[in-house]
Amino acid sequence: MDEKLKIKLSIADRVYPLTVDLSQEEGLRSASKKIDAMIKQFEENYAVRDKQDVLAMCALQFASQVEQKQVDSSIDSKDLDRLKKINDLLFDYLEKK
């Protein structure tokens, strides 16, 4: 059984108390730091009036990265399937000779 840990994460100048599995702590702390870094970047580069807008932009950025990885993975998988089919055809052809 995973041990539970109580942690506090600060995101956008707000503290969020969480109870998490010990195995999740490092990932959550890393994600929190990345979100804060992205917030800072958006605030420095764009005229943003509200933290809600910055958080929405961060959410969109992270979600689009996840979606793009899935799209890229799907393309890679399709290419791999095509290569396997070509390889099988070549193997069958060479076996017949």
Side-chain angles (χ1 to χ4, degrees):
M1 182 184 338
D2 282 336
E3 192 175 322
K4 296 290 183 180
L5 183 65
K6 291 185 178 190
I7 63 173
K8 292 181 181 179
L9 296 180
S10 175
I11 300 172
D13 300 325
R14 281 188 154 180
V15 177
Y16 297 90
L18 300 170
T19 302
V20 300
D21 291 334
L22 187 60
S23 61
Q24 294 176 310
E25 180 189 12
E26 185 179 350
L28 287 167
R29 291 195 187 280
S30 176
S32 172
K33 287 178 184 175
K34 287 181 181 180
I35 292 168
D36 276 336
M38 190 176 289
I39 288 170
K40 185 178 179 182
Q41 183 181 11
F42 280 129
E43 287 177 334
E44 288 174 356
N45 294 324
Y46 301 99
V48 181
R49 290 180 249 160
D50 187 5
K51 285 281 188 197
Q52 177 93 21
D53 293 335
V54 176
L55 289 170
M57 291 165 63
C58 288
L60 179 61
Q61 183 76 20
F62 282 117
S64 67
Q65 289 172 359
V66 169
E67 290 298 319
Q68 190 60 49
K69 284 181 184 179
Q70 289 177 347
V71 167
D72 293 345
S73 175
S74 173
I75 291 170
D76 291 345
S77 177
K78 289 177 185 175
D79 290 343
L80 184 59
D81 288 343
R82 288 182 190 148
L83 287 172
K84 285 180 182 177
K85 287 178 184 177
I86 291 170
N87 189 47
D88 290 344
L89 288 170
L90 287 171
F91 187 75
D92 289 346
Y93 176 78
L94 292 172
E95 271 189 344
K96 292 178 184 178
K97 282 195 156 208

Coordinates of all heavy atoms in Angstrom, one line a residue:
M1 N 0.8 -1.2 0.0 CA 0.0 0.0 0.0 C 0.9 1.2 0.0 O 1.8 1.3 0.7 CB -0.9 0.0 1.2 CG -1.8 1.2 1.2 SD -2.9 1.4 2.6 CE -3.1 -0.1 3.4
D2 N 0.6 2.2 -0.9 CA 1.3 3.4 -0.9 C 1.1 4.3 0.3 O -0.1 4.4 0.8 CB 1.0 4.2 -2.2 CG 1.7 3.7 -3.4 OD1 2.7 3.0 -3.3 OD2 1.1 3.9 -4.5
E3 N 2.1 4.9 0.8 CA 2.0 5.8 1.9 C 1.5 7.1 1.5 O 1.9 7.7 0.5 CB 3.4 5.9 2.6 CG 3.4 6.6 3.9 CD 4.8 6.6 4.5 OE1 5.6 5.6 4.3 OE2 5.2 7.6 5.1
K4 N 0.5 7.7 2.2 CA 0.0 9.0 1.9 C 0.8 10.1 2.6 O 1.4 9.9 3.6 CB -1.5 9.1 2.4 CG -2.4 8.1 1.7 CD -2.6 8.5 0.3 CE -3.6 7.6 -0.3 NZ -3.9 7.9 -1.7
L5 N 0.9 11.2 1.9 CA 1.7 12.3 2.3 C 0.9 13.6 2.2 O 0.3 13.8 1.1 CB 3.0 12.4 1.5 CG 4.0 13.4 1.8 CD1 4.6 13.1 3.1 CD2 5.1 13.3 0.7
K6 N 0.9 14.4 3.1 CA 0.3 15.7 3.1 C 1.3 16.8 2.6 O 2.3 16.9 3.3 CB -0.4 16.1 4.4 CG -1.5 15.2 4.8 CD -2.2 15.7 6.0 CE -3.4 14.8 6.3 NZ -4.2 15.3 7.4
I7 N 1.0 17.4 1.5 CA 1.9 18.5 1.0 C 1.1 19.7 0.7 O -0.1 19.7 0.6 CB 2.7 18.0 -0.3 CG1 1.7 17.7 -1.4 CG2 3.5 16.8 0.0 CD1 2.3 17.4 -2.8
K8 N 1.9 20.8 0.5 CA 1.3 22.1 0.1 C 2.0 22.5 -1.1 O 3.2 22.7 -1.1 CB 1.4 23.1 1.2 CG 0.5 22.8 2.4 CD 0.7 23.9 3.5 CE -0.2 23.5 4.7 NZ -0.1 24.5 5.8
L9 N 1.2 22.8 -2.2 CA 1.8 23.3 -3.4 C 1.3 24.7 -3.6 O 0.2 25.1 -3.4 CB 1.4 22.5 -4.6 CG 1.8 21.0 -4.6 CD1 1.3 20.3 -5.9 CD2 3.3 20.9 -4.6
S10 N 2.2 25.6 -4.1 CA 1.9 27.0 -4.4 C 1.8 27.1 -5.9 O 2.8 26.9 -6.6 CB 2.9 27.9 -3.7 OG 2.7 29.2 -4.1
I11 N 0.7 27.6 -6.3 CA 0.5 27.9 -7.8 C -0.2 29.2 -7.9 O -1.2 29.4 -7.3 CB -0.3 26.8 -8.4 CG1 0.3 25.4 -8.3 CG2 -0.6 27.1 -9.9 CD1 -0.5 24.2 -8.8
A12 N 0.4 30.1 -8.6 CA -0.1 31.4 -8.9 C -0.4 32.1 -7.6 O -1.5 32.7 -7.4 CB -1.4 31.3 -9.8
D13 N 0.5 32.1 -6.7 CA 0.4 32.8 -5.4 C -0.7 32.2 -4.5 O -1.2 32.9 -3.6 CB 0.3 34.3 -5.5 CG 1.5 34.9 -6.3 OD1 2.6 34.4 -6.0 OD2 1.3 35.8 -7.0
R14 N -1.2 31.0 -4.7 CA -2.2 30.4 -3.9 C -1.6 29.1 -3.4 O -0.9 28.4 -4.2 CB -3.5 30.1 -4.6 CG -4.3 31.3 -4.8 CD -5.6 30.9 -5.3 NE -6.7 31.9 -5.0 CZ -7.9 31.8 -5.3 NH1 -8.3 30.8 -6.0 NH2 -8.8 32.7 -4.9
V15 N -1.9 28.7 -2.2 CA -1.4 27.4 -1.6 C -2.6 26.4 -1.7 O -3.7 26.7 -1.3 CB -1.0 27.6 -0.1 CG1 -0.5 26.3 0.5 CG2 0.2 28.6 -0.1
Y16 N -2.2 25.2 -2.2 CA -3.1 24.1 -2.3 C -2.7 22.9 -1.5 O -1.7 22.3 -1.8 CB -3.3 23.7 -3.8 CG -3.8 24.8 -4.6 CD1 -3.0 25.7 -5.3 CD2 -5.2 24.9 -4.8 CE1 -3.5 26.7 -6.0 CE2 -5.8 26.0 -5.5 CZ -4.9 26.9 -6.2 OH -5.4 27.9 -6.9
P17 N -3.4 22.6 -0.3 CA -3.0 21.5 0.4 C -3.5 20.2 -0.2 O -4.7 20.2 -0.7 CB -3.7 21.7 1.8 CG -4.8 22.6 1.5 CD -4.4 23.4 0.3
L18 N -2.7 19.2 -0.3 CA -3.0 18.0 -1.0 C -2.6 16.8 -0.2 O -1.6 16.8 0.5 CB -2.4 17.9 -2.4 CG -2.7 19.0 -3.4 CD1 -1.7 18.8 -4.6 CD2 -4.1 18.9 -3.9
T19 N -3.3 15.7 -0.3 CA -2.9 14.4 0.3 C -2.7 13.5 -0.9 O -3.6 13.3 -1.7 CB -4.0 13.8 1.2 OG1 -4.2 14.8 2.2 CG2 -3.5 12.5 1.8
V20 N -1.4 13.1 -1.1 CA -1.0 12.3 -2.3 C -0.2 11.1 -1.9 O 0.2 11.0 -0.8 CB -0.1 13.2 -3.2 CG1 -0.9 14.5 -3.6 CG2 1.2 13.6 -2.5
D21 N -0.1 10.2 -2.8 CA 0.8 9.0 -2.6 C 2.2 9.5 -2.6 O 2.5 10.5 -3.4 CB 0.6 8.0 -3.8 CG -0.8 7.3 -3.7 OD1 -1.3 7.2 -2.6 OD2 -1.2 6.8 -4.7
L22 N 3.0 8.9 -1.9 CA 4.4 9.3 -1.8 C 5.1 9.3 -3.2 O 5.9 10.2 -3.5 CB 5.2 8.3 -0.8 CG 6.6 8.6 -0.5 CD1 6.7 10.0 0.2 CD2 7.2 7.6 0.4
S23 N 4.7 8.4 -4.0 CA 5.2 8.2 -5.4 C 4.9 9.4 -6.3 O 5.5 9.6 -7.3 CB 4.8 6.9 -6.0 OG 3.4 6.9 -6.1
Q24 N 3.8 10.2 -5.9 CA 3.4 11.3 -6.7 C 4.0 12.6 -6.4 O 3.9 13.6 -7.1 CB 1.9 11.5 -6.6 CG 1.0 10.3 -7.2 CD -0.4 10.5 -6.9 OE1 -0.8 10.8 -5.8 NE2 -1.2 10.4 -7.9
E25 N 4.6 12.7 -5.2 CA 5.1 14.0 -4.7 C 6.0 14.7 -5.7 O 5.9 15.9 -6.0 CB 5.8 13.8 -3.3 CG 6.3 15.1 -2.8 CD 7.1 15.0 -1.6 OE1 7.6 13.9 -1.2 OE2 7.4 16.1 -0.9
E26 N 7.1 14.0 -6.1 CA 8.1 14.6 -7.0 C 7.4 15.2 -8.3 O 7.7 16.3 -8.7 CB 9.2 13.6 -7.3 CG 10.3 14.2 -8.1 CD 11.4 13.2 -8.4 OE1 11.4 12.1 -7.8 OE2 12.3 13.6 -9.2
G27 N 6.6 14.4 -8.9 CA 5.9 14.8 -10.1 C 5.1 16.0 -9.9 O 5.0 17.0 -10.7
L28 N 4.3 16.1 -8.8 CA 3.5 17.2 -8.5 C 4.3 18.5 -8.2 O 3.9 19.6 -8.7 CB 2.5 16.9 -7.3 CG 1.4 15.9 -7.6 CD1 0.7 15.4 -6.4 CD2 0.4 16.5 -8.6
R29 N 5.3 18.3 -7.5 CA 6.2 19.5 -7.2 C 6.8 20.0 -8.5 O 6.9 21.2 -8.7 CB 7.2 19.2 -6.1 CG 6.6 18.9 -4.7 CD 7.7 18.9 -3.7 NE 7.1 18.6 -2.4 CZ 6.4 19.4 -1.6 NH1 6.2 20.6 -1.9 NH2 6.0 19.0 -0.4
S30 N 7.2 19.1 -9.3 CA 7.8 19.5 -10.6 C 6.8 20.2 -11.5 O 7.1 21.3 -12.1 CB 8.4 18.3 -11.3 OG 8.9 18.6 -12.6
A31 N 5.6 19.7 -11.5 CA 4.5 20.3 -12.3 C 4.2 21.7 -11.8 O 4.0 22.6 -12.5 CB 3.3 19.4 -12.3
S32 N 4.2 21.8 -10.5 CA 3.9 23.1 -9.8 C 4.9 24.2 -10.2 O 4.6 25.3 -10.6 CB 3.8 23.0 -8.3 OG 3.7 24.2 -7.7
K33 N 6.2 23.8 -10.2 CA 7.2 24.7 -10.6 C 7.1 25.1 -12.1 O 7.4 26.2 -12.4 CB 8.6 24.1 -10.3 CG 8.9 24.0 -8.8 CD 10.3 23.3 -8.6 CE 10.5 23.2 -7.1 NZ 11.8 22.5 -6.8
K34 N 6.8 24.1 -12.9 CA 6.7 24.4 -14.3 C 5.5 25.4 -14.6 O 5.6 26.3 -15.4 CB 6.5 23.1 -15.1 CG 7.7 22.3 -15.3 CD 7.5 21.1 -16.1 CE 8.8 20.3 -16.2 NZ 8.6 19.0 -16.9
I35 N 4.4 25.2 -13.9 CA 3.3 26.1 -14.0 C 3.6 27.5 -13.6 O 3.3 28.4 -14.3 CB 2.1 25.6 -13.2 CG1 1.5 24.3 -13.8 CG2 0.9 26.6 -13.1 CD1 0.5 23.5 -12.9
D36 N 4.3 27.6 -12.5 CA 4.7 28.9 -12.0 C 5.7 29.6 -13.0 O 5.6 30.8 -13.2 CB 5.3 28.9 -10.6 CG 4.2 28.9 -9.5 OD1 3.1 29.4 -9.8 OD2 4.5 28.4 -8.4
A37 N 6.6 28.8 -13.6 CA 7.5 29.4 -14.5 C 6.8 29.9 -15.8 O 7.1 30.9 -16.3 CB 8.6 28.3 -14.9
M38 N 5.8 29.1 -16.2 CA 5.0 29.4 -17.4 C 4.2 30.7 -17.1 O 4.1 31.6 -17.9 CB 4.1 28.3 -17.8 CG 3.5 28.5 -19.2 SD 2.5 27.1 -19.7 CE 3.8 25.9 -20.1
I39 N 3.6 30.8 -15.9 CA 2.9 32.0 -15.5 C 3.7 33.2 -15.6 O 3.3 34.2 -16.2 CB 2.3 31.8 -14.1 CG1 1.1 30.8 -14.0 CG2 1.8 33.1 -13.5 CD1 0.7 30.4 -12.7
K40 N 4.9 33.1 -15.0 CA 5.9 34.2 -15.1 C 6.2 34.6 -16.5 O 6.2 35.8 -16.9 CB 7.1 33.9 -14.3 CG 8.1 35.0 -14.2 CD 9.3 34.6 -13.4 CE 10.3 35.7 -13.3 NZ 11.5 35.4 -12.6
Q41 N 6.4 33.6 -17.4 CA 6.7 33.9 -18.8 C 5.5 34.6 -19.5 O 5.7 35.6 -20.2 CB 7.0 32.6 -19.5 CG 7.4 32.8 -20.9 CD 7.7 31.4 -21.6 OE1 7.4 30.4 -21.1 NE2 8.3 31.5 -22.8
F42 N 4.3 34.1 -19.2 CA 3.2 34.8 -19.9 C 3.0 36.2 -19.3 O 2.7 37.1 -20.1 CB 1.9 34.0 -19.6 CG 1.7 32.8 -20.5 CD1 1.4 31.5 -20.0 CD2 1.8 32.9 -21.9 CE1 1.2 30.4 -20.8 CE2 1.6 31.8 -22.7 CZ 1.3 30.6 -22.2
E43 N 3.2 36.4 -18.1 CA 3.0 37.7 -17.5 C 4.1 38.7 -18.0 O 3.8 39.9 -18.2 CB 3.1 37.7 -16.0 CG 1.8 37.1 -15.4 CD 1.9 36.9 -13.8 OE1 3.0 36.8 -13.3 OE2 0.8 36.9 -13.2
E44 N 5.3 38.2 -18.3 CA 6.3 39.1 -18.8 C 6.2 39.4 -20.3 O 6.5 40.5 -20.7 CB 7.7 38.4 -18.6 CG 8.2 38.4 -17.1 CD 9.4 37.6 -16.9 OE1 10.0 37.0 -17.9 OE2 9.9 37.5 -15.8
N45 N 5.6 38.5 -21.0 CA 5.5 38.6 -22.5 C 4.2 39.1 -23.0 O 4.1 39.5 -24.1 CB 5.8 37.3 -23.2 CG 7.3 36.9 -22.9 OD1 8.2 37.7 -22.9 ND2 7.5 35.6 -22.8
Y46 N 3.1 39.1 -22.2 CA 1.8 39.5 -22.6 C 1.2 40.4 -21.6 O 1.4 40.3 -20.4 CB 0.9 38.3 -22.8 CG 1.5 37.3 -23.8 CD1 2.1 36.2 -23.4 CD2 1.3 37.5 -25.2 CE1 2.7 35.2 -24.3 CE2 1.9 36.6 -26.1 CZ 2.5 35.5 -25.7 OH 3.0 34.6 -26.6
A47 N 0.3 41.3 -22.1 CA -0.4 42.2 -21.2 C -1.6 41.4 -20.6 O -2.7 41.3 -21.2 CB -0.9 43.4 -22.0
V48 N -1.4 40.9 -19.4 CA -2.4 40.0 -18.8 C -2.9 40.8 -17.6 O -2.1 41.2 -16.7 CB -1.8 38.7 -18.4 CG1 -2.9 37.8 -17.8 CG2 -1.2 38.0 -19.6
R49 N -4.2 40.9 -17.4 CA -4.8 41.6 -16.3 C -5.2 40.7 -15.2 O -5.4 41.1 -14.1 CB -6.0 42.4 -16.8 CG -5.6 43.6 -17.7 CD -6.8 44.3 -18.1 NE -7.1 44.1 -19.5 CZ -8.2 44.2 -20.2 NH1 -9.2 44.6 -19.5 NH2 -8.3 44.0 -21.4
D50 N -5.4 39.5 -15.5 CA -6.1 38.6 -14.5 C -5.3 37.2 -14.4 O -5.0 36.7 -15.5 CB -7.5 38.4 -14.9 CG -8.3 37.6 -13.9 OD1 -7.8 37.3 -12.8 OD2 -9.5 37.3 -14.2
K51 N -5.1 36.7 -13.2 CA -4.5 35.4 -13.0 C -5.3 34.3 -13.7 O -4.7 33.4 -14.2 CB -4.3 35.1 -11.5 CG -3.2 35.8 -10.8 CD -1.9 35.3 -11.1 CE -0.9 35.9 -10.2 NZ 0.5 35.8 -10.6
Q52 N -6.6 34.5 -13.7 CA -7.4 33.5 -14.4 C -7.1 33.3 -15.9 O -7.0 32.2 -16.4 CB -8.9 33.9 -14.2 CG -9.9 33.0 -14.9 CD -10.4 31.9 -14.0 OE1 -10.4 32.1 -12.8 NE2 -10.9 30.9 -14.6
D53 N -6.8 34.5 -16.5 CA -6.4 34.4 -17.9 C -5.1 33.7 -18.1 O -4.9 32.9 -19.0 CB -6.3 35.8 -18.5 CG -7.6 36.5 -18.6 OD1 -8.7 35.8 -18.7 OD2 -7.6 37.8 -18.6
V54 N -4.1 34.0 -17.2 CA -2.8 33.3 -17.3 C -2.9 31.8 -17.0 O -2.3 31.0 -17.7 CB -1.8 34.0 -16.2 CG1 -0.5 33.2 -16.2 CG2 -1.6 35.4 -16.5
L55 N -3.7 31.5 -16.0 CA -3.9 30.0 -15.7 C -4.6 29.3 -16.9 O -4.3 28.2 -17.2 CB -4.7 29.9 -14.4 CG -4.0 30.2 -13.2 CD1 -4.9 30.3 -12.0 CD2 -2.8 29.3 -12.9
A56 N -5.6 30.0 -17.6 CA -6.2 29.4 -18.7 C -5.2 29.2 -19.9 O -5.2 28.2 -20.5 CB -7.4 30.3 -19.2
M57 N -4.3 30.2 -20.0 CA -3.3 30.0 -21.1 C -2.3 28.9 -20.7 O -1.9 28.1 -21.6 CB -2.5 31.4 -21.2 CG -3.4 32.5 -21.8 SD -2.8 34.1 -21.6 CE -1.2 34.1 -22.5
C58 N -2.0 28.8 -19.5 CA -1.1 27.6 -19.0 C -1.8 26.3 -19.3 O -1.2 25.4 -19.8 CB -0.8 27.8 -17.6 SG 0.4 29.1 -17.2
A59 N -3.1 26.2 -18.9 CA -3.8 25.0 -19.1 C -3.9 24.6 -20.6 O -3.7 23.4 -21.0 CB -5.2 25.1 -18.6
L60 N -4.1 25.6 -21.4 CA -4.1 25.4 -22.9 C -2.8 24.9 -23.4 O -2.7 24.0 -24.2 CB -4.5 26.6 -23.6 CG -4.6 26.6 -25.1 CD1 -5.6 25.5 -25.6 CD2 -4.9 27.9 -25.7
Q61 N -1.7 25.5 -22.9 CA -0.3 25.2 -23.3 C 0.0 23.7 -23.0 O 0.4 22.9 -23.8 CB 0.7 26.1 -22.7 CG 2.1 25.9 -23.1 CD 2.4 26.4 -24.4 OE1 1.7 27.2 -25.0 NE2 3.5 25.9 -25.0
F62 N -0.3 23.3 -21.7 CA 0.0 22.0 -21.3 C -0.9 21.0 -22.0 O -0.5 19.9 -22.4 CB -0.2 21.8 -19.7 CG 1.0 22.4 -19.0 CD1 0.8 23.4 -18.1 CD2 2.2 21.8 -19.1 CE1 1.9 23.9 -17.4 CE2 3.3 22.3 -18.4 CZ 3.1 23.4 -17.5
A63 N -2.2 21.3 -22.2 CA -3.1 20.4 -22.8 C -2.7 20.2 -24.3 O -2.8 19.1 -24.8 CB -4.5 20.9 -22.7
S64 N -2.3 21.3 -24.9 CA -1.9 21.1 -26.4 C -0.6 20.3 -26.5 O -0.5 19.6 -27.5 CB -1.7 22.5 -27.0 OG -0.6 23.2 -26.4
Q65 N 0.3 20.4 -25.5 CA 1.5 19.5 -25.5 C 1.1 18.0 -25.4 O 1.7 17.2 -26.2 CB 2.5 19.9 -24.4 CG 3.1 21.3 -24.6 CD 3.9 21.7 -23.4 OE1 3.9 21.1 -22.3 NE2 4.5 22.9 -23.5
V66 N 0.2 17.7 -24.5 CA -0.3 16.3 -24.4 C -0.9 15.9 -25.7 O -0.6 14.8 -26.2 CB -1.2 16.2 -23.2 CG1 -1.9 14.9 -23.2 CG2 -0.5 16.5 -21.9
E67 N -1.8 16.7 -26.2 CA -2.5 16.3 -27.4 C -1.5 16.1 -28.6 O -1.7 15.2 -29.4 CB -3.6 17.4 -27.8 CG -4.7 17.4 -26.9 CD -5.5 16.1 -26.9 OE1 -5.7 15.5 -27.9 OE2 -5.9 15.7 -25.8
Q68 N -0.5 17.0 -28.7 CA 0.4 16.9 -29.8 C 1.2 15.6 -29.7 O 1.5 15.0 -30.7 CB 1.4 18.1 -29.8 CG 2.2 18.2 -31.1 CD 1.4 18.2 -32.4 OE1 0.5 19.0 -32.5 NE2 1.7 17.4 -33.3
K69 N 1.6 15.2 -28.5 CA 2.3 14.0 -28.3 C 1.5 12.8 -28.7 O 2.0 11.8 -29.3 CB 2.7 13.8 -26.8 CG 3.9 14.7 -26.4 CD 4.3 14.5 -25.0 CE 5.4 15.5 -24.6 NZ 5.8 15.4 -23.2
Q70 N 0.2 12.8 -28.4 CA -0.7 11.8 -28.8 C -0.8 11.7 -30.4 O -0.8 10.6 -31.0 CB -2.1 11.9 -28.2 CG -2.1 11.6 -26.7 CD -3.4 11.8 -26.1 OE1 -4.3 12.4 -26.7 NE2 -3.6 11.3 -24.8
V71 N -0.9 12.9 -31.0 CA -1.0 12.9 -32.5 C 0.3 12.4 -33.1 O 0.3 11.5 -34.0 CB -1.2 14.4 -32.9 CG1 -1.0 14.5 -34.4 CG2 -2.6 14.8 -32.6
D72 N 1.4 12.8 -32.5 CA 2.7 12.3 -33.0 C 2.9 10.8 -32.8 O 3.4 10.1 -33.7 CB 3.9 13.1 -32.3 CG 4.0 14.5 -32.7 OD1 3.3 15.0 -33.7 OD2 4.7 15.3 -32.0
S73 N 2.4 10.3 -31.7 CA 2.5 8.9 -31.4 C 1.6 8.1 -32.3 O 2.0 7.1 -32.8 CB 2.1 8.7 -29.9 OG 2.0 7.3 -29.7
S74 N 0.5 8.7 -32.7 CA -0.4 8.0 -33.6 C 0.2 7.9 -35.0 O 0.1 6.9 -35.7 CB -1.8 8.7 -33.6 OG -2.6 8.2 -34.6
I75 N 0.8 9.0 -35.4 CA 1.5 9.0 -36.7 C 2.6 8.0 -36.7 O 2.8 7.3 -37.7 CB 2.0 10.5 -37.0 CG1 0.8 11.4 -37.3 CG2 2.9 10.4 -38.2 CD1 1.1 12.8 -37.4
D76 N 3.4 8.0 -35.7 CA 4.5 7.0 -35.6 C 4.0 5.6 -35.6 O 4.6 4.8 -36.3 CB 5.3 7.3 -34.3 CG 6.1 8.6 -34.3 OD1 6.3 9.2 -35.4 OD2 6.6 9.0 -33.2
S77 N 2.9 5.3 -35.0 CA 2.3 4.0 -34.9 C 1.9 3.6 -36.3 O 2.1 2.5 -36.8 CB 1.2 4.0 -33.9 OG 0.6 2.7 -34.0
K78 N 1.2 4.5 -37.0 CA 0.7 4.2 -38.4 C 1.9 4.0 -39.3 O 1.9 3.1 -40.1 CB -0.1 5.4 -38.9 CG -1.5 5.5 -38.3 CD -2.2 6.7 -38.8 CE -3.5 6.9 -38.0 NZ -4.2 8.2 -38.4
D79 N 3.0 4.8 -39.2 CA 4.2 4.6 -40.0 C 4.8 3.2 -39.7 O 5.2 2.5 -40.6 CB 5.2 5.7 -39.8 CG 4.7 7.0 -40.4 OD1 3.8 7.0 -41.2 OD2 5.3 8.1 -40.0
L80 N 4.9 2.9 -38.5 CA 5.4 1.6 -38.1 C 4.6 0.4 -38.6 O 5.2 -0.6 -39.1 CB 5.5 1.5 -36.5 CG 6.2 0.3 -36.0 CD1 7.6 0.2 -36.5 CD2 6.2 0.3 -34.5
D81 N 3.3 0.5 -38.6 CA 2.4 -0.5 -39.2 C 2.7 -0.6 -40.7 O 2.8 -1.8 -41.2 CB 0.9 -0.2 -38.9 CG 0.5 -0.4 -37.5 OD1 1.3 -1.1 -36.7 OD2 -0.5 0.2 -37.1
R82 N 2.8 0.5 -41.4 CA 3.1 0.4 -42.8 C 4.4 -0.2 -43.1 O 4.6 -1.0 -44.0 CB 3.1 1.8 -43.4 CG 1.7 2.4 -43.5 CD 1.7 3.8 -44.1 NE 0.4 4.5 -44.0 CZ 0.3 5.8 -43.9 NH1 1.3 6.6 -43.8 NH2 -0.9 6.3 -43.7
L83 N 5.4 0.1 -42.3 CA 6.7 -0.5 -42.5 C 6.7 -2.0 -42.2 O 7.4 -2.8 -43.0 CB 7.8 0.2 -41.6 CG 8.2 1.6 -42.0 CD1 9.1 2.2 -40.9 CD2 9.0 1.6 -43.3
K84 N 6.0 -2.4 -41.2 CA 5.9 -3.8 -41.0 C 5.2 -4.6 -42.1 O 5.6 -5.7 -42.5 CB 5.1 -4.1 -39.7 CG 5.8 -3.8 -38.4 CD 5.0 -4.0 -37.2 CE 5.7 -3.7 -35.9 NZ 4.9 -3.9 -34.7
K85 N 4.2 -3.9 -42.7 CA 3.5 -4.6 -43.8 C 4.4 -4.7 -45.0 O 4.5 -5.7 -45.7 CB 2.2 -3.8 -44.2 CG 1.1 -4.0 -43.2 CD -0.1 -3.1 -43.6 CE -1.2 -3.3 -42.6 NZ -2.4 -2.5 -42.8
I86 N 5.2 -3.6 -45.3 CA 6.1 -3.6 -46.4 C 7.2 -4.7 -46.1 O 7.6 -5.5 -47.0 CB 6.8 -2.2 -46.6 CG1 5.7 -1.2 -47.1 CG2 8.0 -2.3 -47.5 CD1 6.2 0.2 -47.1
N87 N 7.7 -4.8 -44.9 CA 8.7 -5.8 -44.6 C 8.1 -7.2 -44.8 O 8.8 -8.0 -45.3 CB 9.1 -5.6 -43.1 CG 10.3 -6.4 -42.8 OD1 11.3 -6.5 -43.5 ND2 10.2 -7.1 -41.6
D88 N 6.9 -7.4 -44.3 CA 6.3 -8.7 -44.5 C 6.1 -9.1 -46.0 O 6.4 -10.2 -46.4 CB 4.9 -8.8 -43.9 CG 5.0 -8.8 -42.3 OD1 6.1 -9.0 -41.8 OD2 3.9 -8.5 -41.7
L89 N 5.7 -8.1 -46.8 CA 5.6 -8.3 -48.3 C 7.0 -8.7 -48.9 O 7.1 -9.6 -49.7 CB 5.0 -7.1 -49.0 CG 3.5 -6.8 -48.7 CD1 3.2 -5.5 -49.3 CD2 2.7 -7.9 -49.3
L90 N 8.0 -7.9 -48.5 CA 9.3 -8.2 -49.0 C 9.8 -9.6 -48.6 O 10.4 -10.3 -49.3 CB 10.3 -7.1 -48.6 CG 10.2 -5.8 -49.2 CD1 11.1 -4.7 -48.5 CD2 10.6 -5.9 -50.7
F91 N 9.6 -9.9 -47.3 CA 10.0 -11.2 -46.8 C 9.3 -12.3 -47.5 O 9.9 -13.3 -48.0 CB 9.7 -11.3 -45.3 CG 10.2 -12.5 -44.6 CD1 11.6 -12.6 -44.4 CD2 9.4 -13.6 -44.3 CE1 12.1 -13.8 -43.8 CE2 9.9 -14.7 -43.7 CZ 11.2 -14.8 -43.4
D92 N 8.0 -12.2 -47.8 CA 7.2 -13.2 -48.5 C 7.8 -13.3 -49.9 O 7.9 -14.4 -50.5 CB 5.7 -12.8 -48.5 CG 5.1 -13.0 -47.2 OD1 5.7 -13.7 -46.3 OD2 3.9 -12.5 -47.0
Y93 N 8.1 -12.2 -50.6 CA 8.6 -12.2 -51.9 C 9.9 -12.9 -52.0 O 10.2 -13.7 -52.9 CB 8.7 -10.7 -52.4 CG 9.3 -10.6 -53.8 CD1 8.6 -10.9 -54.9 CD2 10.6 -10.3 -53.9 CE1 9.1 -10.8 -56.2 CE2 11.2 -10.2 -55.2 CZ 10.5 -10.5 -56.3 OH 11.0 -10.4 -57.6
L94 N 10.8 -12.6 -51.1 CA 12.1 -13.2 -51.1 C 12.1 -14.7 -50.7 O 12.9 -15.5 -51.2 CB 13.0 -12.5 -50.1 CG 13.4 -11.1 -50.5 CD1 14.2 -10.4 -49.4 CD2 14.2 -11.0 -51.8
E95 N 11.1 -15.1 -49.9 CA 11.0 -16.5 -49.6 C 10.6 -17.3 -50.8 O 10.9 -18.5 -51.0 CB 9.9 -16.7 -48.5 CG 10.5 -16.7 -47.1 CD 9.4 -17.1 -46.1 OE1 8.2 -17.1 -46.4 OE2 9.8 -17.4 -45.0
K96 N 9.8 -16.7 -51.7 CA 9.3 -17.4 -52.9 C 10.4 -17.6 -53.9 O 10.3 -18.4 -54.8 CB 8.1 -16.7 -53.5 CG 6.9 -16.8 -52.6 CD 5.7 -16.0 -53.1 CE 4.6 -16.0 -52.1 NZ 3.4 -15.2 -52.6
K97 N 11.4 -16.8 -53.9 CA 12.5 -16.9 -54.9 C 13.4 -18.0 -54.6 O 13.7 -18.6 -53.7 CB 13.3 -15.6 -55.0 CG 12.5 -14.6 -55.7 CD 13.4 -13.5 -56.1 CE 12.8 -12.8 -57.3 NZ 13.7 -12.2 -58.2

